Amino acid sequence: MEKPMFKTVQEVIAAGEGVSERYLHTTNGNDKGQPLDILVPEMDITAVDLNLLLSSSDDGREELSKLYSVLSKWGVVQQVINHGIAEDFLDEIFELTKQFFALPAEEKQKYAREINTLQGYGSDMILSDNQVLDWIDRLYLTTYPEDQRKLKLWPETPLGFRETLHEFTMKQQLVIKNFFKAMARSLELEDNCFIEMCGEKSVTETRFNVYPPCPRPDKVIGSKPHSDGSAFTLLLPDKNVEGLQFLKDGKWYKAPIVPYAFLINIGDMMEIMSNGIYKSPVHRVVTNREKARISVATFYAPHEDKEIQPVDGIVSETRPRMYKTIKKYVDFYFDYYHQGRRPIEAAYI
Ligand code: OGA
Ligand code: NI
């Protein structure tokens, strides 16, 4: 199979090429020419305790109403404490990610993404000649169900990467199920309504991202504004380096750094299933001159054959149905993404 013909950002840097035009946002592009590295205020998002969310005590009910207010306001919840995944295990994930990206280029290229596919190691997907490129390299792998794994793209070095990713995946499945249940309860719906709509064969994908230091943080973006096509995304942002920002009412806000907390953001599928009560937030990643930033994002998405629509019980006279029934979202997601458009627009009624 053909391998992509373009360099990763790490290879561009190693070749001493500097920042080519392909990465520069021009005046009529992102944010109408405003520098990308302007200071922005921090989001005020509250901590939610995942364990408590599912308890039927008064504290549990209070936690659910916190979840409702933070998700309906931001579409993001951070500090999902008590998620059941130990801190030293999360350190190991970051360490292995760092070690992978520090390997020589030839070694990483063994796992390179093939043209027109998503899985594997590589840079931003290039869909057109005039697309502005993101300052990011990544390793993108389907992790669940297990028979969907393309193991030849799972790194054999650093040692332990495969085993740790498998373990991480299994631990995350529980967090995912619990979070779906908590969201259903927060909307006074049947516990399993979202899980059932997504189906038993729902897909989990993990993306290891590195944003190398960038000489032009004013003009180059790490990840263009987008909302995720998943049902929701479990993100482990870098513990030391900022960069992730969310858009609210036309303004950017930065996500606070909270070591060892997951940040969970709603994706387009959940926006549809919740009939727009929980909106899939637009977010981006900005670059900086000094430090590489690492993040690990896990996307949970319905099986492509499942039909996704607002769930029973959420549509009412006062809140009429706002989204069409959709299927195979991924087929048009990336076209929209690279045009800077929101794919969810295709689902509006
Ligand atoms: C993503 C994403 C944010 C980050 O991978 O979809 O938005 O902090 N990542 O890397
Ligand atoms: Ni995202």
Side-chain angles (χ1 to χ4, degrees):
M1 256 278 217
E2 248 183 310
K3 299 277 183 187
M5 295 298 293
F6 42 84
K7 289 186 174 127
T8 63
V9 175
Q10 286 183 321
E11 287 165 359
V12 167
I13 295 169
E17 289 177 10
V19 180
S20 79
E21 297 264 305
R22 295 292 318 255
Y23 293 95
L24 294 181
H25 283 268
T26 50
T27 42
N28 45 10
N30 210 288
D31 271 356
K32 303 182 184 66
Q34 237 190 25
L36 293 163
D37 57 349
I38 48 165
L39 288 178
V40 300
E42 197 162 276
M43 304 159 77
D44 60 330
I45 43 176
T46 33
V48 169
D49 181 331
L50 193 55
N51 242 344
L52 204 51
L53 277 173
L54 294 175
S55 122
S56 46
S57 63
D58 284 351
D59 287 349
R61 275 187 288 276
E62 194 173 312
E63 210 64 13
L64 282 178
S65 74
K66 262 205 254 173
L67 182 71
Y68 176 87
S69 61
V70 73
L71 285 183
S72 49
K73 180 171 175 197
W74 288 102
V76 188
V77 48
Q78 200 171 18
Q79 301 185 354
V80 184
I81 44 180
N82 260 323
H83 50 58
I85 305 185
E87 295 189 353
D88 53 0
F89 187 76
L90 296 178
D91 281 336
E92 197 180 329
I93 302 274
F94 274 108
E95 195 45 45
L96 288 168
T97 310
K98 240 184 241 166
Q99 287 173 16
F100 174 77
F101 285 113
L103 291 174
E106 313 80 68
E107 183 63 29
K108 284 178 286 198
Q109 287 298 345
K110 287 187 191 162
Y111 310 104
R113 174 166 71 73
E114 285 155 358
I115 280 176
N116 295 330
T117 64
L118 283 175
Q119 283 198 68
Y121 165 73
S123 55
D124 196 14
M125 198 176 193
I126 301 184
L127 294 181
S128 77
D129 286 342
N130 54 14
Q131 176 187 327
V132 181
L133 302 184
D134 289 354
W135 196 256
I136 183 176
D137 293 336
R138 54 175 79 115
L139 171 68
Y140 197 171
L141 299 169
T142 297
T143 56
Y144 199 84
E146 288 182 57
D147 62 5
Q148 298 293 308
R149 292 177 181 175
K150 272 198 190 162
L151 283 178
K152 64 172 186 175
L153 297 175
W154 287 44
E156 285 182 283
T157 37
L159 219 63
F161 189 99
R162 289 179 162 201
E163 294 74 12
T164 307
L165 180 55
H166 172 74
E167 206 181 326
F168 186 42
T169 302
M170 300 327 261
K171 289 177 196 283
Q172 284 184 110
Q173 293 306 310
L174 196 65
V175 176
I176 289 168
K177 295 214 163 66
N178 286 342
F179 194 68
F180 256 138
K181 249 188 221 169
M183 284 194 291
R185 287 189 192 176
S186 73
L187 294 165
E188 292 174 0
L189 298 165
E190 278 297 312
D191 274 10
N192 292 327
C193 63
F194 298 128
I195 301 179
E196 275 166 14
M197 184 164 284
C198 291
E200 272 169 30
K201 294 207 185 113
S202 292
V203 179
T204 312
E205 287 162 334
T206 293
R207 200 159 101 176
F208 301 86
N209 299 309
V210 64
Y211 304 88
C214 177
R216 291 298 306 274
D218 58 327
K219 287 270 184 225
V220 176
I221 200 148
S223 190
K224 278 189 223 42
H226 66 281
S227 57
D228 294 347
S230 55
F232 60 90
T233 305
L234 290 175
L235 183 73
L236 290 174
D238 199 294
K239 275 193 307 191
N240 305 304
V241 187
E242 290 180 341
L244 177 62
Q245 299 180 350
F246 286 87
L247 188 68
K248 184 169 162 46
D249 304 328
K251 290 204 187 95
W252 290 105
Y253 295 83
K254 65 179 175 187
I257 289 186
V258 182
Y260 304 114
F262 278 112
L263 182 149
I264 299 184
N265 66 266
I266 298 292
D268 294 346
M269 296 302 99
M270 188 65 206
E271 175 170 335
I272 294 173
M273 291 190 291
S274 74
N275 200 25
I277 297 179
Y278 292 163
K279 289 221 166 49
S280 162
V282 173
H283 52 287
R284 68 178 187 182
V285 178
V286 296
T287 56
N288 77 82
R289 268 178 235 275
E290 284 90 33
K291 288 190 188 150
R293 179 174 181 276
I294 281 180
S295 68
V296 180
T298 297
F299 305 94
Y300 181 84
H303 185 266
E304 61 171 21
D305 288 342
K306 289 302 264 188
E307 294 194 323
I308 297 299
Q309 60 190 39
V311 294
D312 286 344
I314 202 129
V315 176
S316 66
E317 249 170 57
T318 49
R319 195 164 181 97
R321 180 169 169 166
M322 292 166 62
Y323 301 84
K324 297 178 200 151
T325 302
I326 62 117
K327 205 169 143 171
K328 288 199 176 33
Y329 196 60
V330 73
D331 285 359
F332 53 93
Y333 181 84
F334 288 97
D335 275 340
Y336 273 73
Y337 171 71
H338 288 298
Q339 291 169 33
R341 293 171 65 198
R342 296 197 64 200
I344 190 126
E345 286 168 17
Y348 292 155
I349 283 181

